[in-house]
Amino acid sequence: DIQMTQSPSTLSASVGDRVTITCRASESISGWLAWYQQKPGKAPRLLIYKASTLESGVPSRFSGSGSGTEFTLSISSLQPDDFATYYCQQYNSYSQTFGQGTKLEIK
Amino acid sequence: EVQLVESGGGLVQPGGSLRVSCAASGFTFSTYWMHWVRQAPGKGLVWVSRINTDGSTTSYADSVKGRFTISRDNAKNTLYLQMNSLRAEDTAVYYCVLRGVTKLYWGQGTLVTVSS
């Protein structure tokens, strides 16, 4: 099974900061990588798919990059609504696995 | 518009059984693989099971193998997860997930609580 290692597990930042979250796959997943935002009691919200494609309706301050085994999610200027937990997910072929999550907290 | 609506969650005693369902619409259900993903309270997302288009091929996480059965009814556009021998650690929100051509679609989830 493909393992996903996400870092950091917790990130403290301020409104207006630029932040980056990293996800590493144990083997190449080409570009089959998605990023989600999740708030308590809610289903995950798709932000980015195919590593770098912004989901419709998602603000342009979110961006994704990477290929093969290394991927990043960046938020260019944090807004109050962005403080949440973020997950990466690989969906290469017929399998799916998730990163452990990154909790983005207000500093 | 793709819609996935889970149902059937609830409170069940340890050792009991429950079947959760996912009603699909807005796409040709019979042509896509489907998945179940779960999330225990305060924990991360975990893949549970997947099924191919005609139901002939299934796969499970080790934690549920032999206890859970995924199935589908393409005539009813519905995905199922039959859960037997339930344990406290199966308590979670269960999501059905469509692996589309380039991206994934999720339902809102159904909560299964295993407790006496």
Side-chain angles (χ1 to χ4, degrees):
Chain A
D1 291 353
I2 299 173
Q3 307 301 316
M4 303 301 293
T5 303
Q6 185 175 340
S7 61
S9 56
T10 306
L11 183 55
S12 296
S14 302
V15 172
D17 284 354
R18 176 182 177 87
V19 298
T20 298
I21 299 169
T22 299
C23 214
R24 178 179 294 114
S26 58
E27 61 185 81
S28 176
I29 56 171
S30 299
W32 299 108
L33 193 282
W35 290 98
Y36 297 89
Q37 176 192 72
Q38 190 177 35
K39 295 184 178 180
K42 300 292 188 180
R45 174 195 181 194
L46 180 65
L47 300 174
I48 302 284
Y49 62 94
K50 206 62 171 72
S52 60
T53 303
L54 193 68
E55 171 69 338
S56 176
V58 174
S60 59
R61 63 180 179 273
F62 291 91
S63 63
S65 64
S67 63
T69 61
E70 295 279 339
F71 301 87
T72 60
L73 171 71
S74 297
I75 311 173
S76 61
S77 178
L78 277 172
Q79 300 301 301
D81 190 50
D82 298 338
F83 292 94
T85 300
Y86 293 83
Y87 293 94
C88 64
Q89 177 197 26
Q90 69 81 16
Y91 55 110
N92 184 53
S93 186
Y94 301 118
S95 71
Q96 294 182 22
T97 44
F98 296 88
Q100 301 92 324
T102 295
K103 186 173 183 179
L104 180 53
E105 300 179 330
I106 300 175
K107 186 185 288 183
Chain B
E1 178 191 3
V2 171
Q3 282 203 314
L4 300 168
V5 180
E6 300 94 336
S7 62
L11 175 64
V12 60
Q13 292 190 337
S17 297
L18 198 66
R19 188 178 79 163
V20 293
S21 304
C22 171
S25 61
F27 66 103
T28 307
F29 180 71
S30 61
T31 63
Y32 290 94
W33 287 58
M34 296 294 296
H35 300 253
W36 286 101
V37 170
R38 72 182 181 182
Q39 186 173 36
K43 302 296 185 181
L45 298 162
V46 177
W47 173 82
V48 173
S49 182
R50 65 174 175 258
I51 188 167
N52 71 338
T53 55
D54 66 3
S56 61
T57 299
T58 59
S59 184
Y60 300 91
D62 287 344
S63 58
V64 307
K65 202 172 294 182
R67 300 187 299 122
F68 288 13
T69 302
I70 189 172
S71 63
R72 64 193 297 160
D73 185 335
N74 287 340
K76 295 182 177 179
N77 290 346
T78 303
L79 176 72
Y80 302 101
L81 186 67
Q82 176 68 44
M83 301 181 287
N84 297 331
S85 303
L86 282 161
R87 307 166 181 167
E89 54 265 35
D90 296 318
T91 294
V93 176
Y94 286 75
Y95 297 99
C96 70
V97 180
L98 159 66
R99 202 287 197 191
V101 174
T102 58
K103 68 178 184 180
L104 304 110
Y105 302 83
W106 293 58
Q108 288 304 299
T110 188
L111 175 63
V112 173
T113 303
V114 184
S115 175
S116 54

